[in-house]
Amino acid sequence: EVFEEQETLVGPHGALFENMAHVHNSLGDYEKAEDYFLKAMALVTDPAKKGGILLGMGLVKERQGSPDGALPFLQKALALYKESSLTEDGSSLIAKAHMSVGQCLEGMGDKAAATSHIRSAVRIFRKTVGGDSPLTANALGILGRMLLDQNERQEAEPVILQALELEVAKDAFHPDTVWKLLNSLKELWTEGQAQHQLSELRTHCSRYVRPMRMARDRIVSHQPSDGEGKYEQGTIAVIYKTAGELFMLAGEYDEAVRFLQEAVLFLQEIKDFDCRSLIASCHTSLHFLAGQLSHAATADA
């Protein structure tokens, strides 16, 4: 209503129409959002500003279930950002447009082209906002997922690990993102037809220990003693479960036990989802770990 009052007072204005479009888009009123983006596009001449409008239009089309309709808007935005920059990698706006184009292409099934755009985004984000920026972390996570989906496991692993290291260290901690990255790392070693030597598993998975400990520290720092913490219990439970399984692959059996026991405690508290299979999986792993630790203790004696 505030924006509509302003429209009455000031008349047609590109920035106002763009803001109104974003508001309607966030509210799920895509027809009005599209209408205001088109009005804004007719009034705005600055290429960089028009690029934002085009990205907004592309997002509306994607949310309407039309990636084919979204792609031309997103590609035009990318072209405008490149034209308005001194170089093709001189602005984070170019990287953001690459991200939008890449994810749209992924939705259309063109995985190779999608991956190429996300690679460009990672490179440009590193140059323009730094290697430790949340924007870089997000782009690395998406690139790693795409590589894994294409079975490019050797290249995917260090990319996903770097994304995880950035995610657990950044100011805004997002447990769901951390779990997805941990799960991708687990998939690398537990799914597919490749056979891995125990020494290989331990060498690689030992590199995950530090970020997994950091993730737990971040969770604990926001989790009061009554368990009613800042983060959703189900997400915390699967973080602990997946991390416990990765600790097991790393040969860190004592720590694996602690994480899996924590996972069971959280899973048992969840009432709106049937967690029995997850709890059973934790108990299976704990039974294996008990045997390994008992064998190690006997050998030491």
Side-chain angles (χ1 to χ4, degrees):
E1 292 181 1
V2 173
F3 284 127
E4 290 171 358
E5 289 175 6
Q6 288 182 327
E7 181 182 2
T8 303
L9 291 171
V10 304
H13 191 280
L16 176 61
F17 286 157
E18 182 182 357
N19 286 333
M20 292 176 72
H22 284 300
V23 169
H24 286 297
N25 193 18
S26 67
L27 294 173
D29 191 345
Y30 302 131
E31 288 186 8
K32 278 191 176 181
E34 182 175 355
D35 181 50
Y36 278 110
F37 274 131
L38 290 172
K39 287 180 179 179
M41 209 178 306
L43 295 172
V44 173
T45 57
D46 181 86
K49 292 180 181 178
K50 184 165 282 192
I53 298 168
L54 288 163
L55 286 179
M57 272 294 296
L59 181 58
V60 168
K61 291 293 185 183
E62 283 191 282
R63 288 181 172 177
Q64 290 175 321
S66 177
D68 290 350
L71 186 61
F73 290 104
L74 302 175
Q75 290 174 324
K76 179 62 176 175
L78 176 59
L80 280 175
Y81 285 140
K82 286 182 176 181
E83 289 171 12
S84 61
S85 177
L86 294 176
T87 63
E88 288 199 355
D89 59 359
S91 166
S92 62
L93 291 173
I94 297 173
K96 290 178 180 179
H98 273 298
M99 292 290 293
S100 295
V101 173
Q103 290 177 94
C104 183
L105 286 166
E106 183 187 26
M108 295 170 64
D110 193 342
K111 294 183 178 180
T115 304
S116 177
H117 278 282
I118 304 302
R119 285 187 199 278
S120 295
V122 169
R123 175 177 53 79
I124 297 168
F125 278 139
R126 281 175 168 157
K127 178 179 178 180
T128 57
V129 298
D132 59 354
S133 166
L135 294 171
T136 307
N138 178 59
L140 283 166
I142 291 171
L143 176 59
R145 174 179 56 73
M146 288 184 175
L147 291 169
L148 185 57
D149 286 346
Q150 294 170 76
N151 207 34
E152 299 290 343
R153 293 170 177 261
Q154 188 171 356
E155 185 180 359
E157 194 257 2
V159 173
I160 298 169
L161 175 56
Q162 187 178 1
L164 176 64
E165 291 170 336
L166 292 174
E167 283 291 339
V168 298
K170 71 183 190 181
D171 290 339
F173 182 72
H174 296 109
D176 189 59
T177 302
V178 170
W179 173 71
K180 288 176 181 177
L181 293 168
L182 287 172
N183 198 53
S184 291
L185 289 171
K186 190 183 81 168
E187 284 181 17
L188 277 164
W189 305 111
T190 60
E191 296 187 9
Q193 298 181 351
Q195 299 294 315
H196 305 288
Q197 297 294 323
L198 183 61
S199 59
E200 179 187 11
L201 285 172
R202 292 189 172 181
T203 297
H204 282 276
C205 294
S206 64
R207 294 155 59 232
Y208 314 154
V209 166
R210 182 173 176 273
M212 290 192 296
R213 288 172 178 164
M214 289 178 66
R216 186 180 189 278
D217 289 344
R218 297 294 299 273
I219 293 166
V220 170
S221 68
H222 289 92
Q223 201 77 22
S225 58
D226 62 6
E228 296 298 323
K230 177 179 178 180
Y231 305 125
E232 199 272 324
Q233 275 192 321
T235 306
I236 303 308
V238 292
I239 285 178
Y240 282 147
K241 179 180 182 295
T242 308
E245 291 161 346
L246 286 168
F247 274 116
M248 188 163 59
L249 293 177
E252 299 285 347
Y253 292 157
D254 287 320
E255 205 148 9
V257 167
R258 287 194 291 273
F259 271 73
L260 288 165
Q261 287 175 338
E262 290 269 14
V264 170
L265 290 175
F266 276 100
L267 289 167
Q268 288 174 336
E269 293 299 316
I270 296 171
K271 306 303 181 186
D272 57 352
F273 184 80
D274 186 353
C275 298
R276 284 177 294 181
S277 63
L278 294 173
I279 293 170
S281 176
C282 288
H283 283 309
T284 299
S285 296
L286 286 166
H287 179 74
F288 167 81
L289 289 164
Q292 294 298 306
L293 289 168
S294 175
H295 178 74
T298 301
D300 289 341

